[in-house]
Structures are given as C-alpha cells and as structure tokens.
Amino acid sequence: MALTLRSSTSFMPPVDSKTHRASDELPGRLAFDVRKPAGRLRTLNASRQDVIERRTLLQHAEQAAELLHGTPAAHGDLGAGTARVPVYVMLPLDTVSLAGGLTRARALNASLMALRSAGVEGVMVDVWWGLAEKDGPLRYNWEAYAELVQMVERNGLKLQMVMSFHQCGGNVGDNCSIPLPPWVQEEMSRNPGIVYADRSGRRNPEYISLGCDMLPVLRGRTPIQVYSDYMRSFRDRFRDHLGRVIVEIQVGMGPCGELRYPSYPENNGTWRFPGIGEFQCYDKYMKASLQAAAVSVGREEWGKGGPHDAGHYNQFPDDTGFFRREGTWNTDYGKFFLEWYSSKLLEHGDRVLAAAQAIFHGTGAKLSGKVAGIHWHYRTRSHAAELTAGYYNTRHRDGYLPVAKMMAMRGVILNFTCMEMKDEQQPGHAGCSPELLVRQVKQATAAAGAELAGENALERYDESAYSQVLATSRGGDCTGLTAFTYLRMNKKLFEGENWRQLVAFVKSMSEGGRRVVLPKSDTARSDLYVGFIAGANKKPKVDAAVPR
C-alpha cells in the first residue's frame, strides 16, 4: 500500500475504531544488562524500577551528549555549505486520552528521555479539539496538555503543538478514535449541511465544511470564531511557555490537519490508492457558493453542481471524461470550476491563518500549516488526485505557488509530506512522482519567500528513507528545510536497528545533511540502544521502568 498521507476521514455515521493497546504505541519495556544472579531473580518493585530507569537513561543521555553529539549547534549555518536541520518526533495520536489524562505517562517520560539523548530537538503533539472543548462551547480543559508541556520541558525538549480541528480515527495510521466535540456533533445532526458531501450525498464528519466558515452555524458562532476562541484560550493558558518550550504552533485547516478537501476517504473502502478521489462540493453551503460564482461570470448553468463526468473515487484519470488527457478539466468550464474550488480552499486557509497570526503574534512561537503530498497521477496532464483535493496543479499550471504565497504573506512555515519517498519505489501504474512533487513545492516556497519544513508520510525506519530526507533537506538551487518532523514515536522506533538508524539520521541532520553511519557495535553506548545489546554475547535482562 503506497499511501502518502496519514488521513483520518470517515463517513457519517462514524465507524467505531478499536483503540490499539497503549503498549503498542510506546516501548513496553526498557531492558538493561545485569550480571547473572546466583539465585532466582526477584522482581524489582515499582520504586526501585523508577530509580534504575532514571539513572540508566540519564547515563545514556550524558554519554550520548559527550560522545555522539557534543554541544548542540545553534540553528543556522554550521560551516561552509551546511545548515543544521532540527528533528522533531511525532507523539502517538492518543498521547492525551479520551478521559483527559496522559496515556502511560511513565513510559512517555522514559521515551522522551531517550529521544533527548539521541539529539532530537523536540516532539509534536495533536491538541485535539474533540478533547479540549468536549464539555461544551467555550469550556476548555488544557490540564493534560499542561502536564505534557512540563514533562517535555523537564526533559530539555521543545514542542510543536498542532491545533487539530479535525476528527481522528478510521484510517491508515490512526490507532484511536477522537471525534469532534459532542456539542459540535449535535449541530451536525441538526444541520448535516455543515459537513462536506460528495456527489452521491455521502457526508464526511471529519471537518466542518469551509462553505460555512463565516456563518454562525455552531451555536451562534462561526467556525472561524470557534477556532479563534480555541487558539486564544490555548495562548492564554500557555503564554509563559510559548516561544520557549512551545516553539511552533501548527494550525489545522482541514482533514488530517492539512489544507485540503477530504477527497480520498479510506473508511469502509470508499477510496483505495491510487484512485483519483472525488470533489467535495455538494453540501448546501458549497453549492450556494458555486451558484453565486457562476452567476458572477454570466454562466448560470455552470453553477448547477460539480462536474458530471469526474468519475468515482477509485477510477483512473483516463476512465473519466473530466480528467482524461484532453478532458473537461482543460475547457472553459473546467477552468472555471477548478479556479472556484481551489480558491475556496485558499480563502479558508487564509482566514484560519489570519486568525492564528493575530492571536500568536508576539508570543515567540512560529506558525506552520500543512499541505498534503498527493503524488499519485502526478505524471498525468490533469493531476486528477491533486485537483479533487483542492490543489489546482496541472501540466500547465502551478498549484502550489498560490498556497506558498498565502503562507508567506502570513509568516507561516509550509509543512510538506512525502519527503522520504523515491519515484522508483512507487507502483508504475499509478503515475507517481513524489520526487518531482517535492521539487516543485521546494521551488514554489523559494519563489514565494516562504519557509519549508517536512515530514515523512509513512512509517519508515530504513536507511533508504532517511537518505532521501537528507537529500531533500539540502537547499540546492531552491530552498532547504527549516525543520523535519518524524512520523511517529511507537514501540518499533526503539527496536535495535531502527533506533540506530534514527540516531544516525538525527546526527546527519544536525551536521547539515552529511550522512553519518554509526558503528554496528558501540561499547560506549553512543548508539543509544534501548532494550537491546549489540554483540554476540547477550546477558540476561531485567524489565525496568515501564510497566505493561
């Protein structure tokens, strides 16, 4: 499965997702060498485990700082032709539980200690609307996030915090279900038109339709007002940490937090890679906007609805009249529709970012916004999958330059995915080109004067993926990365070879993209194995620190 996006869409009514065990997200145990006891090994009690955990991980951290990383370099130039790229790691989606507390706090703390010892700059966490404002309008609960901020600060790390105004659950990468706040769901039941709908009338409850951005559909407030109040409350609660511990606020603007339409929902097999997806413009507010736009250009007949020949979610471009080589996309009507559809998305992004800019101005925290890496059918003329998602990018038109200009105007970092992907790794029939897509986005951000940050789209632990990110992070003839966020912290990340690869990658990024390979065996422990001992002779291990 060659998906590039950690999307989280589902159709109404939402399908229940089985939450993975928390022990699958974080390392269930940290193992340390001990000499073989003369008698039967006795289980350590919890307090003694805590002491061993702290001492051992601190020793690893001290050794690593001295032997592997030395004094952390300042942001920016490290020397001729090099620039440091700080690396962050995404925390599990359920870091804050539905009950409102930190999930497995002791395991989380131990993992943060390990990440710090590896030279990681910080971590990213979703600040879920469905959790923080679930008790009612303007009733916020930030306490679990406050506990996390303090934990991150104690471990000497920084935080990227995502204003996640979307639903989590039901798709690749989602191991939990976090719907929108209950009071918002009640409004959705009373007025189904406030969520996106496709041509068949299927509604998607993951994110409020941008068609009603400026309408008081949420108990007397507009969605933009609701997002603004949420961000303002967050700012006031964490004012003392902004710019110091919380260094970046990523502003959610659509499904999965990305500035796009939910054009490729995976729930119940609605969409499968590499389908073209479907336009999401059939809720009553989007239809009213389309009608008004058609009237304004004197072509009222163009406002009756979206394209009738755009096909279905799992078709290919040539299967449709709209997206085929010489299809409707390149006619006067097609250009009108795509301009309207993409402009609505840009206007939505600008509204949300303008609110965030006003609220967080002067706090010292940077703002960022995420753009999806939709690389399938990129080699076709129409770029169908990008078009249905709202990016008016074709063989004849650059769809990412307007997005980059909008973000540059607001002083927002453009965060882009699929940085780890190579063209040669993609299926030939899908017309993929993640490398060309990333290159185009890099050129667009450079032309717009915007900053660019990156993420990997899929969970990858191999040297090939890291090498691709390293190559992408360099400026070259356009622009390099200001930061990279790795998806995602889980149990696998701390396994022996995976951990070794991450440590080498972080060191390489800290040295401006020069590839660093750590030795297979390191008696000084600078490779920071957690739970693994290199070498042929392995000693018995005692479970410590992290309860199951």
Side-chain angles (χ1 to χ4, degrees):
M1 191 70 166
L3 302 180
T4 68
L5 306 163
R6 52 181 184 94
S7 61
S8 53
T9 50
S10 59
F11 281 101
M12 189 181 292
V15 176
D16 291 335
S17 299
K18 290 186 178 180
T19 304
H20 288 188
R21 291 192 309 161
S23 58
D24 291 335
E25 278 299 306
L26 296 176
R29 64 180 77 182
L30 300 179
F32 307 103
D33 272 353
V34 296
R35 295 183 181 276
K36 186 174 181 179
R40 184 177 180 181
L41 186 64
R42 301 182 61 186
T43 303
L44 295 174
N45 60 39
S47 60
R48 187 179 174 193
Q49 288 178 344
D50 288 340
V51 172
I52 291 177
E53 170 196 342
R54 289 178 182 275
R55 287 179 178 174
T56 307
L57 284 175
L58 284 174
Q59 289 172 0
H60 279 299
E62 291 169 358
Q63 291 172 351
E66 179 181 354
L67 299 174
L68 180 59
H69 301 286
T71 302
H75 287 254
D77 292 341
L78 291 179
T82 64
R84 176 175 180 260
V85 181
V87 175
Y88 293 78
V89 175
M90 293 184 197
L91 294 182
L93 294 168
D94 62 349
T95 294
V96 174
S97 69
L98 289 172
L102 288 183
T103 302
R104 300 181 72 241
R106 289 175 58 204
L108 176 60
N109 188 63
S111 299
L112 293 178
M113 294 173 70
L115 291 176
R116 175 57 178 167
S117 68
V120 168
E121 184 82 4
V123 292
M124 173 181 277
V125 68
D126 289 280
V127 183
W128 295 107
W129 183 25
L131 296 182
E133 199 178 356
K134 71 177 181 179
D135 294 331
L138 300 172
R139 296 174 60 187
Y140 306 105
N141 183 353
W142 305 113
E143 295 317 300
Y145 292 104
E147 184 181 350
L148 176 65
V149 170
Q150 293 169 0
M151 184 184 292
V152 169
E153 183 177 20
R154 286 197 302 268
N155 281 286
L157 295 168
K158 305 298 183 184
L159 259 172
Q160 298 170 319
M161 301 190 81
V162 186
M163 302 292 101
S164 296
F165 299 116
H166 62 284
Q167 170 186 288
C168 173
N171 289 276
V172 171
D174 289 347
N175 69 335
C176 61
S177 177
I178 304 174
L180 299 188
W183 62 272
V184 175
Q185 295 181 63
E186 291 175 9
E187 296 304 311
M188 290 159 54
S189 297
R190 280 196 283 264
N191 181 9
I194 69 174
V195 298
Y196 291 111
D198 62 18
R199 191 163 177 259
S200 300
R202 286 175 290 190
R203 301 189 183 279
N204 190 314
E206 185 185 359
Y207 189 78
I208 301 297
S209 169
L210 60 82
C212 57
D213 269 355
M214 308 303 289
L215 300 173
V217 296
L218 296 177
R219 298 196 182 181
R221 290 186 294 165
T222 71
I224 298 299
Q225 288 174 330
V226 170
Y227 304 151
S228 298
D229 290 339
Y230 184 89
M231 291 187 286
R232 191 175 297 108
S233 175
F234 176 88
R235 178 203 64 191
D236 293 344
R237 177 63 178 82
F238 295 101
R239 188 185 298 275
D240 293 340
H241 297 90
L242 287 166
R244 186 171 58 85
V245 180
I246 304 170
V247 294
E248 182 180 323
I249 302 295
Q250 187 172 111
V251 185
M253 295 176 282
C256 204
E258 297 167 332
L259 179 62
R260 65 172 176 87
Y261 293 99
S263 57
Y264 48 96
E266 299 161 72
N267 193 53
N268 294 330
T270 302
W271 172 86
R272 296 184 303 276
F273 177 86
I276 57 177
E278 288 192 20
F279 291 114
Q280 305 292 308
C281 58
Y282 294 90
D283 64 78
K284 63 181 180 181
Y285 302 106
M286 290 293 283
K287 288 196 292 186
S289 174
L290 178 58
Q291 289 170 358
V295 169
S296 70
V297 298
R299 299 301 297 266
E300 186 174 353
E301 68 275 15
W302 286 354
K304 302 298 183 183
H308 69 279
D309 57 351
H312 304 291
Y313 287 105
N314 294 310
Q315 289 186 300
F316 276 49
D318 287 342
D319 297 333
T320 75
F322 192 87
F323 297 114
R324 65 189 180 189
R325 182 182 177 89
E326 301 297 339
T328 313
W329 65 273
N330 203 26
T331 64
D332 289 342
Y333 164 73
K335 293 174 183 177
F336 158 79
F337 174 80
L338 293 171
E339 181 65 37
W340 167 79
Y341 190 67
S342 62
S343 294
K344 292 290 290 183
L345 186 66
L346 276 173
E347 291 168 5
H348 171 70
D350 188 57
R351 289 190 192 107
V352 179
L353 292 179
Q357 182 184 38
I359 291 165
F360 291 105
H361 177 72
T363 64
K366 291 187 174 183
L367 294 179
S368 68
K370 190 173 178 183
V371 175
I374 303 175
H375 62 80
W376 53 102
H377 304 302
Y378 185 88
R379 293 186 180 276
T380 65
R381 288 195 172 194
S382 66
H383 292 236
E386 293 162 87
L387 296 185
T388 57
Y391 306 135
Y392 190 179
N393 191 55
T394 69
R395 184 73 58 86
H396 313 304
R397 188 180 190 279
D398 187 344
Y400 298 100
L401 183 57
V403 176
K405 285 181 176 179
M406 181 269 289
M407 291 193 177
M409 181 181 68
R410 296 295 177 190
V412 173
I413 301 166
L414 192 157
N415 189 300
F416 197 69
T417 61
C418 72
M419 293 286 178
E420 85 284 13
M421 292 187 168
K422 296 181 180 180
D423 290 1
E424 64 189 33
Q425 298 169 338
Q426 310 306 315
H429 69 283
C432 299
S433 187
E435 293 181 62
L436 289 177
L437 175 58
V438 169
R439 186 183 306 169
Q440 180 183 354
V441 171
K442 291 182 70 176
Q443 291 171 344
T445 53
E451 290 185 276
L452 178 67
E455 296 178 4
N456 52 308
L458 300 177
E459 289 183 10
R460 295 278 297 274
Y461 309 95
D462 55 289
E463 197 270 344
S464 174
Y466 285 132
S467 293
Q468 183 64 17
V469 175
L470 288 168
T472 302
S473 69
R474 302 188 187 103
D477 58 351
C478 41
T479 187
L481 301 183
T482 61
F484 179 81
T485 305
Y486 175 81
L487 183 156
R488 162 181 320 274
M489 189 177 86
N490 56 30
K491 190 174 182 179
K492 286 184 179 180
L493 181 63
F494 294 93
E495 294 176 356
E497 187 58 27
N498 294 344
W499 182 246
R500 180 189 293 275
Q501 292 285 1
L502 177 71
V503 172
F505 169 69
V506 172
K507 181 170 175 59
S508 298
M509 295 289 270
S510 73
E511 298 186 355
R514 182 174 66 84
R515 181 62 183 162
V516 175
V517 179
L518 293 176
K520 288 295 183 182
S521 179
D522 186 352
T523 57
R525 297 291 190 270
S526 62
D527 61 349
L528 303 176
Y529 269 139
V530 177
F532 292 85
I533 303 299
N537 297 321
K538 297 187 178 181
K539 302 174 184 179
K541 299 178 176 64
V542 176
D543 291 345
V546 185
R548 279 198 164 300

